[in-house]
Amino acid sequence: MPSNCETFFDHRRFALVGRSAAKPFPLLSYRGLKRRGKTVYAVDPSAQEIDGDPAYPDLTALPEAVEALIIEVPKQETHDWVAAAAQAGIQDVWVHMAHDTPEAIALAEESGINLRTGTCAVMYVTRGLSYHSIHKAIMKMAGKY
């Protein structure tokens, strides 16, 4: 039976939030989702373009509603993006490992958001041998995949 983390990727339309001005945009997840045939929108208030695609400043600017959101921004912004997800009606959210906060987790719970956190989305969307595939193997052995 697929885990809660694995079922996150059953959706068809995703948004990925990053802030290029603070750290590189999460291209591995972005490209991995696209390779899987998903519709993926880059949300980055500090960029006009990500990987040759338009970047949107926030969730309200997206050309269509998304079903799932991956958040990989500086930790102090996570709560605001969880709030934006709740306001947009996005019920499936992934906060990249070590970017969650108690306030963001509480808000997700209050808002009925199925929040995934504590691990890296990249290990679910990339294929082949890499650091992320090793991380994936370790997480599976530990029963945390």
Side-chain angles (χ1 to χ4, degrees):
M1 183 164 150
S3 70
N4 187 39
C5 290
E6 290 170 296
T7 60
F8 181 80
F9 299 100
D10 290 344
H11 295 295
R12 290 178 288 154
R13 291 183 314 278
F14 291 80
L16 242 95
V17 180
R19 184 172 293 278
S20 299
K23 63 181 270 181
F25 191 83
L27 285 175
L28 291 175
S29 296
Y30 186 76
R31 290 173 180 163
L33 286 167
K34 287 175 82 173
R35 276 193 302 275
R36 287 178 153 214
K38 308 295 183 179
T39 299
V40 189
Y41 297 104
V43 178
D44 187 334
S46 63
Q48 298 286 315
E49 185 180 283
I50 297 293
D51 210 30
D53 299 328
Y56 300 91
D58 56 49
L59 298 176
T60 64
L62 296 177
E64 65 180 326
V66 297
E67 301 163 308
L69 175 68
I70 297 174
I71 300 171
E72 191 172 337
V73 294
K75 195 172 191 167
Q76 65 270 23
E77 296 179 28
T78 300
H79 177 273
D80 292 342
W81 285 106
V82 171
Q87 191 168 25
I90 301 170
Q91 294 297 299
D92 281 301
V93 176
W94 189 299
V95 174
H96 189 72
M97 61 190 292
H99 291 216
D100 60 326
T101 65
E103 297 81 13
I105 292 168
L107 177 60
E109 189 174 304
E110 291 167 16
S111 303
I113 290 174
N114 185 356
L115 185 70
R116 284 89 166 172
T117 188
T119 191
C120 177
V122 177
M123 70 181 176
Y124 292 87
V125 297
T126 58
R127 302 198 195 301
L129 184 60
S130 70
Y131 164 80
H132 294 91
S133 64
I134 295 167
H135 185 199
K136 178 179 182 175
I138 292 168
M139 294 297 281
K140 279 188 170 190
M141 286 188 294
K144 296 181 180 183
Y145 185 77

